[in-house]
Amino acid sequence: MILILYIICCAILFALPLFLFYRTKWFSRTASVCVTVAKLPTEAVRYKTVPVDEGSSFSKETIPKSLLNKHNTKAGVWGKVVCDRGLLKLLFLENTTEDDVVLKPGFYGVVLPRQYHFVEMLTDDTLMHVEFHCLPGHKPSGGGLG
């Protein structure tokens, strides 16, 4: 009986810090597990994040309607769609080889320049943010987000 209690206590002491670590914003903001076919170019640099406040996320109540409807990124701009909490579906439209993907915390999807897409928040507690990347020296312009 004591051995069983010891094993349970050890399991809890081992699992609890891991659980708390994976639930933090720090982990989800720094995780780099891409689940889309498209990848960010290695030389791409982040130049903008929305929401603008560092560490902020969009919720079901605060997400702009434009992200929930068909839109695209600007020419020369890659979007990195990051799920911070809950489940987020990234759907691709028109001329794409990408499958729609469901993102969970610590995972992200990449949207190519000028690629039409939208997101869908699958759970009430979903939080997400978007990072916009471009090549060094590129000045984003034209229609689209980013």
Side-chain angles (χ1 to χ4, degrees), residues 36 90-94 96 98-100 110-111 115-117:
T36 52
L90 175 58
L91 301 101
F92 298 93
L93 308 167
E94 301 175 5
T96 182
E98 286 287 355
D99 290 327
D100 299 339
V110 172
V111 178
Q115 185 176 39
Y116 283 96
H117 63 285

Side-chain angles (χ1 to χ4, degrees), residues 14-116:
F14 175 76
L16 187 61
L18 289 176
F19 173 77
L20 294 175
F21 174 74
Y22 285 107
R23 298 282 298 173
T24 63
K25 277 192 165 210
W26 178 85
F27 174 76
S28 61
R29 290 256 180 211
T30 59
S32 57
V33 181
C34 183
V35 295
T36 52
V37 173
K39 306 291 185 232
L40 289 171
T42 54
E43 63 276 11
V45 293
R46 182 177 70 181
Y47 73 92
K48 181 179 175 182
T49 301
V50 292
V52 177
D53 297 332
E54 187 63 35
S56 294
S57 300
F58 290 124
S59 66
K60 270 194 166 182
E61 293 77 32
T62 62
I63 188 168
K65 298 279 188 252
S66 59
L67 294 180
L68 300 172
N69 297 302
K70 177 182 172 181
H71 64 281
N72 66 340
T73 53
K74 294 180 179 180
V77 174
W78 287 260
K80 180 178 176 181
V81 179
V82 182
C83 181
D84 296 319
R85 186 168 72 197
L87 295 173
L88 179 72
K89 189 170 189 178
L90 175 58
L91 301 101
F92 298 93
L93 308 167
E94 301 175 5
N95 303 326
T96 182
T97 57
E98 286 287 355
D99 290 327
D100 299 339
V101 295
V102 174
L103 303 171
K104 61 183 183 177
F107 293 81
Y108 69 89
V110 172
V111 178
L112 297 173
R114 309 290 297 157
Q115 185 176 39
Y116 283 96

